[in-house]
Every structure is written in structure tokens, then in C-alpha cells.
Amino acid sequence: MPRKISLRKVVAPPRFQGFRPYGVNGLCSERVELLYEEYEAIKLADYDLMHHTEAARLMGISRPTFARIYESARRKIAQALVETREIKAVYGNAVLDKSWYECLSCHARFTIPRSHKQNSCPLCASECVEPLKN
Amino acid sequence: MKTVITAAGNTADSAFDRRFGRGAWFCVLNASNQIEEFIENVLVEASNGAGTKAAEKMVELGIGKVISGDFGPKAKDLLDKFEIQMVILQDESLTVQDIVNRFQHE
């Protein structure tokens, strides 16, 4: 029996649900599913320009595992571009960084430093806040 | 506790800048949430380390809360360490004044 997949830490989930090509005749009906951790790998390596070792530490996985996730992400994006497929963001094996909260009334996202006592929104002071999920 | 809002310009009508390390200006609010001053971000053009240096600047200024659109992993680590609260707003159509006004509702 294979070993259980360890969860990958993701700081912030992608801000989109998917991407769809336009200006093509006949969209391929099958979508490419980009996992949250794959999005995170692309973001860390190619947007934040981090080294793989560093990025792997941030996601709580080994460097080879990071490299595999990153490769899979690149291949999926390439496949989507070439085969004009839609990309869909899927949760995957991610665990979201717990330190972020979201205000339910003004949708601001924020952290609560340890020294803070109250759990209210720093902007609108609403008490309706919850840890950021999905 | 002082607050910083990242801004695209140095007036209250300027647009909110969603970048932290490379936001053009830092708008500093005093403890009663009045605009105190605008500080130009000298790191806008920096090729690397902008987030870290901007975070150090926040520590230097004694800021308690930073409002921006996104924080890089290094800036986040540093701000976490100095217990500076980070606030992320996704809406880019806001101006600095809009955000200041939100405080006034308290």
C-alpha cells in the first residue's frame, strides 16, 4: 500500500476558479485540473522567484516533492494551452495556512498577531470573523 | 497604534496599491486613524528584497497594522515575527480615503 500523501501548505488559495481560452472553435470538453499546491508551486518558483529548496520548506515538503509538483503544474498548464483546454482550480492535497482570517462583513483578510487579544476585524471591527478556508 | 496603507500616490484620493514591497507610497495613519504622512517607497524599482526591506521599514516606523493587497512569503514572515498585523483587501478600486473612512464607522 502506498504511503499517504502528506499535505502541502498553501499560503493563499488562487483568486480564480479557472481559466478558459477564447477565440477558439470547439473547446475541448475535458478540463485540466490544476491543484492548489500546483498553483502555489508555480507562484513561489516563478512569481516570487524563490529557490526550490526554500519554496519546499515553505510548503512543508521535501525539495524533490516540490519539484514533482512544480513539474506537474507546468505540464498541466502546457497541456491546457496546446490543447485549448479550460483550467479549473481544484483543492488537491493542500492545507491552508491557518494564520489568516476573513471578516464576513467586509471580506478583508487579516492575521491576528499573538499579542492581540480581540478577534475582531481590524477594519470594520465586526466580530464575525472566521479562519480562512477554501 | 499606527497603521500603514500602501498607496499609488501621495494624496488621500490616490488609489490603493495592492502591492506591498513595490507599492509606490506608504500612507501612515496615526493612532486615531487620521492620515499623518506619506512616505515614498524607495524600493519600487528594486530587483529583489523589496518585501523584506519594506517590512523592516514598518518595524522601524513602529507600525502596528499594514493594509495591502498581498504579502510575499518573506515579508509575511518578518511582519509575523514583529507581531505586525497584516490586512489584505482584494478590491483595487478603493482609494486611500475609502479605506480610512472604513475605520470611522467603528
Side-chain angles (χ1 to χ4, degrees):
Chain A
M1 194 179 137
R3 202 166 174 273
K4 199 168 149 265
I5 293 178
S6 68
L7 295 177
R8 296 87 161 88
K9 268 186 234 157
V10 171
V11 175
R15 286 198 280 253
F16 55 85
Q17 289 186 0
F19 276 98
R20 185 177 285 165
Y22 70 96
V24 283
N25 291 332
L27 196 61
C28 182
S29 59
E30 261 185 57
R31 292 187 287 205
V32 170
E33 299 195 330
L34 188 71
L35 308 182
Y36 276 16
E37 65 261 33
E38 291 169 340
Y39 161 84
E40 181 79 350
I42 292 270
K43 175 173 177 266
L44 293 179
D46 295 333
Y47 185 81
D48 296 327
L49 303 178
M50 287 170 83
H51 294 296
H52 285 196
T53 338
E54 215 180 336
R57 199 172 341 113
L58 207 79
M59 289 179 70
I61 51 181
S62 72
R63 191 204 50 78
T65 304
F66 178 85
R68 275 195 300 278
I69 295 173
Y70 176 66
E71 181 174 302
S72 146
R74 277 195 347 253
R75 290 192 174 173
K76 282 184 183 178
I77 291 172
Q79 188 191 20
L81 293 181
V82 174
E83 298 175 9
T84 61
R85 288 183 189 217
E86 203 175 296
I87 297 175
K88 188 179 185 309
V90 182
Y91 196 91
N93 309 302
V95 51
L96 294 175
D97 198 326
K98 287 281 186 331
S99 55
W100 291 94
Y101 293 82
E102 182 165 15
C103 170
L104 299 179
S105 63
C106 72
H107 302 291
R109 292 174 177 184
F110 54 93
T111 59
I112 300 178
R114 275 183 302 278
S115 55
H116 279 229
K117 297 283 181 291
Q118 80 279 38
N119 273 25
S120 58
C121 172
L123 270 186
C124 64
S126 158
E127 299 282 336
C128 303
V129 297
E130 65 172 25
L132 199 56
K133 299 187 293 276
N134 200 354
Chain B
M1 185 181 72
K2 291 205 275 187
T3 303
V4 154
I5 302 172
T6 49
N10 61 350
T11 58
D13 303 329
S14 314
F16 166 58
D17 200 322
R18 286 177 56 196
R19 297 163 303 171
F20 172 61
R22 291 190 175 76
W25 293 80
F26 296 124
C27 170
V28 183
L29 311 183
N30 62 18
S32 45
N33 298 323
Q34 308 291 335
I35 294 178
E36 198 169 70
E37 57 174 334
F38 282 88
I39 297 173
E40 188 166 14
N41 184 5
V42 291
L43 306 157
V44 178
E45 304 292 332
S47 61
N48 55 42
T52 317
K53 297 220 179 69
E56 283 167 3
K57 181 90 180 161
M58 299 299 114
V59 176
E60 203 179 295
L61 292 167
I63 304 298
K65 181 154 69 182
V66 182
I67 303 174
S68 190
D70 195 14
F71 297 92
K74 291 181 195 162
K76 183 177 181 296
D77 279 353
L78 210 60
L79 293 172
D80 260 339
K81 204 168 112 201
F82 286 94
E83 307 213 340
I84 296 174
Q85 185 168 41
M86 286 168 269
V87 183
I88 292 184
L89 293 178
Q90 310 273 9
D91 190 351
E92 41 192 325
S93 60
L94 292 168
T95 66
V96 173
Q97 191 63 51
D98 290 336
I99 299 174
V100 175
N101 289 345
R102 285 212 195 169
F103 285 116
Q104 316 299 341
H105 292 302
E106 289 173 24

